Amino acid sequence: MTSHQSTQTMKPATAAKKLGVYLEATPAEFREGVVTRAELNELQANPPQWLQDLRHNGPHPRPVVAAKLGVSIAGLARAGVTEPLTTEQIETLKQEGPEWLERERATQAEVRKEAARIKKKNAERAERQA
């Protein structure tokens, strides 16, 4: 019996997520096909112009918007930001500094501080047990 090396494929939505781009903004041929692991690796290593433009200008998916604003995805939802934003829109929000953005950034900072405290506590506990 011989084993066949099957080509690993993924849906365009999965590939777009891995590339950090908004699926609806990608070219039709990307959205309508399947993406192999090799194609994804090639897109990551040598991004075509459309991918470079999307990464630079957007529109960006929620995880990217949240990261660029320094808030959580839930924070975006609480603020009513549900649509993808362009880089220009993100920069405008940063400059305007609305109250919700400052509040969500503070919340995110507290979450990170608490996560670091817990990680340190667990590391100390592991050291004592070793």
Side-chain angles (χ1 to χ4, degrees):
M1 211 192 256
T2 61
S3 64
H4 292 16
Q5 179 86 19
S6 64
T7 304
Q8 189 179 19
T9 61
M10 61 192 82
K11 295 177 183 176
T14 303
K17 186 175 182 179
K18 289 179 181 288
L19 292 169
V21 295
Y22 182 57
L23 177 63
E24 301 306 316
T26 60
E29 58 270 12
F30 181 86
R31 289 192 310 269
E32 294 166 0
V34 294
V35 180
T36 66
R37 174 65 62 187
E39 289 169 337
L40 178 68
N41 291 341
E42 180 62 24
L43 287 170
Q44 289 172 325
N46 301 305
Q49 190 60 48
W50 65 264
L51 182 54
Q52 292 176 36
D53 292 344
L54 274 180
R55 286 177 168 169
H56 187 262
N57 302 319
H60 302 288
R62 282 188 320 235
V64 174
V65 172
K68 286 180 179 274
L69 290 173
V71 299
S72 66
I73 295 172
L76 288 178
R78 284 191 290 272
V81 179
T82 57
E83 297 298 316
L85 299 179
T86 63
T87 301
E88 185 177 324
Q89 291 169 314
I90 292 168
E91 291 305 316
T92 300
L93 272 175
K94 285 179 176 180
Q95 289 172 2
E96 291 173 352
E99 188 246 320
W100 70 264
L101 181 56
E102 300 308 316
R103 184 178 60 245
E104 291 300 335
R105 282 179 168 172
T107 299
Q108 189 71 358
E110 286 299 316
V111 167
R112 287 187 181 122
K113 190 163 48 170
E114 179 64 8
R117 184 191 69 77
I118 290 170
K119 184 176 179 180
K120 181 179 177 186
K121 180 180 173 184
N122 289 341
E124 289 170 355
R125 184 179 299 143
E127 268 184 28
R128 284 194 303 267
Q129 291 175 353

